[in-house]
Amino acid sequence: MGFEKQEVTVGNREIIDIVLLEDMKSLQEAVVTALGVKREKQSLGYSVGSVDGRDLTETPQNNVLNAMAGKVAGVQISQMDGAAGSSVNIIIRGGNSLNSDNQPLFVIDGVPVANKLNNGFGGADMGNPISDINPNDIENVSILKGPSAAALYGSRAGNGVVLITTKSGSGRKGIGVAVNSSVVMDFPFRYLPIQNEFASGKSGAHVFEESENESWGPELDVGEEWVQWNSNGEPAPLLSYPDRFKDFFQTGYTNTNNIAVNGDYDEGSFRLSVGNMANKGIIPNTDFSRLTIGLNTNYNITNKLRATATINITESGSDNRPIIDGGRTSPVRSLFETGPQVNILDLEQYWIPGSEGILQRKYKEKQNNPYFVVNENPTGFDRNRTVSKLQLDYDVTNNLSMLLRYARDSYEEQQEAIIAYNNYDQINGGYHIRNNFNKENNLDFMMNYQKIFNEDWNITALAGANRMEQKYSYVDNNAGQLVIPMLYTIANGAPGTVSYDSQHFWKVIYGIYGSLSTGYQNKLFLDITARNDWSSTLPIENRSYFYPSVSLSAIVSEMVEMPSYVDLFKFRAGIAQVGNDVAPYSLVPTFGTALDWGTAKSMYMGGLLRNASLKPEISTSSEAGVDISLFNNRLGIEATYYVRANKNQVLPIDLPIESGASSKLINAGLVESRGFELGISTTPIIAGDFRWDLNVNLSRNRTSIKELADGITYFNFTSYSGAELRTYVGGDIGDIYMRPVLTVKDQESAYFGYPVLTGSGLYQADQDVNNLVKIGNFNHDLMLSFQPTFRYKNFSLYANIDWRQGGEFYSNTMMFLGNNGMLEETLSGVSYDEGRPIEDQVKENPEAYFGKWIGGRNAAYGGLPWPGDEANFREEDASFNVGVRESRDAEGNIVYIENLGGATTQWLNPFQAYRYAHRPFPDRNLYSATYVKLREIAVTYQLPTSWLDKISLRSASLSVVGNNLFVWTEAGNGVDPERAFRQTGNRWIQGVEYYNVMPWTGSLGLKLNAEF
């Protein structure tokens, strides 16, 4: 099943090698839908994405979500940072909630499992809990994109559902063994380009200031000698060391091994698998590991009663995760703030001899030694997880069946962050531990009725009830300082610096649901579903909420005569609602604890005022689309247009501070998403032993705010370094605003439109909030992906190409690198004609100069002569911002003084001139988010059966695999747009990034699969 029938002439051959080819039509006959029910795809009135388990293991991945990237239209998957085991963001049909991470519900073999995007601790990314899944255990994945498909799952299905079906032992009688093994090398291949021509300092090229983070100092490699940190007090030549990134980062590796034993016999089947993954990171002393054990069994107790039991146990963890929050404990930031004149290898010995554990060896006080950071400040975690299910199925009659299922997902996670003595941010060190416990129990009872009437009508009816209980708790203890160096316990915390926190959350939802599916002559299908939930987190009067759905599928090609090349033409449409409750303890105030006040306990009530009258959110979605199959199933097309509206969102609104609270939770807002999806599957060429298959996915989504509460005109997502991520009513989520350069507003003035500088000659931002300007939107205009597969005899070539077009992001990294003089663009300002007065050039073409700086590091780079005494000791690096300075005449009238390069100009050093032309204005560091990635490539050789028979193998293959071997970005600046997220605390902010600039890393390795 699932493969094409083939006829081969035997002739005189005794051994015949046949490579099974996927049958496009048969693979699309059935998909897994809500509650694990298998349905014929042609009967569905909504879009369901599907990914076969084989497509998830073409190349080894440490997170199953990475393996899904680009393979389903309408699903956006992004890796948050460049380290193995990092969090992965999955958004289905755009983010539609203003107060959540918009992650879908994951269901494994009928067991809802916990997952979250925001899992930061101690400045590190601990990764998604969903990464605990072993990709080699997955049979297939179905993605229910909209409420029509997912409504039966209740409150948590508003963002879609990812249904994961694991492999079972059924299918081949007897005992079978499968072995998978891979070794992949991870190598950094591109670093963000920086300048290596000028040393540390910010006063100018005439003085060496090694203690500064900036690099606006003397020119390197030209014979200048200065006293340096390791020159024993004697002047030494200033030399550049351009390879500090290559010297610091290392080649990592990932080794993955999996063995599975399966059996199928008359009374049942089983599959037992054990998997192990071990990774060494590209940052020294970082790692990630995962051990999984999975058992999937079913047993026919009688010919009517069947029992199914599954259990998956995972131990995952890391001794040290990379710090990526952009703080001074981040090794990446430490490297970027290391002067070009420093040989990074001189810092490998990071303790001062004789003061080990007390004083780190570094070349300046303002930063940490990156080797000290990665070796003595580890942040790690251990997570133990169990996902289990016990299910009984009973056939009451040939038409009526019952199901009883108990499902449980639970994990315990210990997180630990160590801060050594002499850390820049915590001079006396620190120790932070957190224990998380999460458990969810689900009890389901369902009845299913199926009946065919007079060969024309068929009906499937389902009714069920669910009890869901969630419990989450944590204990968090943090010692801000240590008494004894290198003793990392809470008991060693200095008095008055230890904080204790623990919380417990409990939620219960009761739900009843039902569905009715009817078909007429296998041409027309109608689905109706309904569910009602009662949530413990809502007030009694609003605790119950009901939501229905209806969808229609019409096989038009069976109703009207169509050309012979049309195999299928289906129209589908549906409308649905999904309700959603609120987080526990959103109704009444709660108290938190602060540091002890002497012997007294200190408690406080946070600034957020709860609301005892909250209502459930309601998401309403409608969609319509067509499924077309042509040319004997050689070309398949799926197209969908959808609209989704989410109302009654729970939002915090600002309150006057005199009220005693800073904000209050209310139900408000209407958020609407619109978009389309297009999926194409085709086999363009079949010629003898050669075959070319191609899948193409195209999608676009836009989400806008239609309504907010009275008096509220916009929703603020974050404000960062002048970039305002806010959405006004009528605007799109993802909009980025900034305050523009302050300019002369008097239209009668000869200087109308000229920048208004400070008295010191510096650009300044317009602080009038009414003058904010929109500079971009972080959402892509289009997402396009291709998965070609070429087969020739026993060889195959597979690739996964992901193209995301449009959108913008703000790089706070590039802002700081420019501010610190680390970019090539900081060597000189805007060009000018040295043979003419600069002020004339500015007046002739003001737009070419306004908002920019004129000058350079020295005369060769456009620097100008300094007037007066400064010309005696400074390099020729005088620079300035372009505009006018405001003053007043004797009558008090405003007059403007030109700052255009003439006699009245306020001269600046290059650091000042560049800084104030760039740092206050985010559009200077706003970049295109367009990129193309070769996410996966695999060349596979299937060993001939003539070889396998000799060694008693059923099948075997050897692959050369690669990940991210090619990356192109429109911005071309070395920042990966996919990682345009900033981690703040334990949450991610999209659209801005801050030192999330790990090197671009490619992977290359070998993979072996064998079945006995």
Side-chain angles (χ1 to χ4, degrees), residues 508-567:
V508 177
I509 295 179
Y510 290 92
I512 57 174
Y513 49 83
S515 70
L516 177 64
S517 303
T518 182
Y520 176 69
Q521 293 185 346
N522 283 329
K523 299 177 182 178
L524 196 62
F525 303 90
L526 177 67
D527 282 10
I528 300 173
T529 73
R531 177 163 178 144
N532 199 96
D533 282 340
W534 292 264
S535 173
S536 66
T537 65
L538 290 167
I540 294 176
E541 63 272 18
N542 297 327
R543 185 163 292 173
S544 172
Y545 46 103
F546 172 81
Y547 37 96
S549 79
V550 59
S551 62
L552 177 71
S553 171
I555 313 301
V556 180
S557 54
E558 295 293 329
M559 300 177 181
V560 299
E561 186 174 348
M562 288 194 166
S564 59
Y565 58 80
V566 177
D567 304 305

Side-chain angles (χ1 to χ4, degrees), residues 60-63 83-85 181-187 251-257 276-282 287-290 961 963 1001-1007:
Q61 301 284 350
N62 54 62
N63 189 322
S181 183
S182 65
V183 177
V184 175
M185 308 306 292
D186 306 316
F187 55 91
T251 299
Y253 70 82
T254 303
N255 180 218
T256 306
N257 297 285
N276 181 69
M277 185 274 293
N279 168 266
K280 181 182 77 172
I282 63 171
D287 63 355
F288 178 63
S289 64
R290 180 182 63 226
V961 296
N963 295 317
T1001 303
S1003 303
L1004 193 63
L1006 296 173
K1007 178 170 72 84

Side-chain angles (χ1 to χ4, degrees), residues 75 163 220 280 342 359 403 460 464 518 540 647 918 961 1005:
V75 179
L163 296 179
L220 297 166
K280 181 182 77 172
V342 176
L359 296 174
L403 177 150
T460 299
T518 182
I540 294 176
K647 69 176 183 178
H918 289 79
V961 296

Side-chain angles (χ1 to χ4, degrees), residues 357-376:
I358 304 294
L359 296 174
Q360 64 167 305
R361 183 170 175 265
K362 53 183 180 177
Y363 84 95
K364 64 180 177 183
E365 287 301 318
K366 289 186 177 181
Q367 191 53 272
N368 286 313
N369 181 328
Y371 291 102
F372 165 80
V373 167
V374 298
N375 288 291
E376 299 297 333

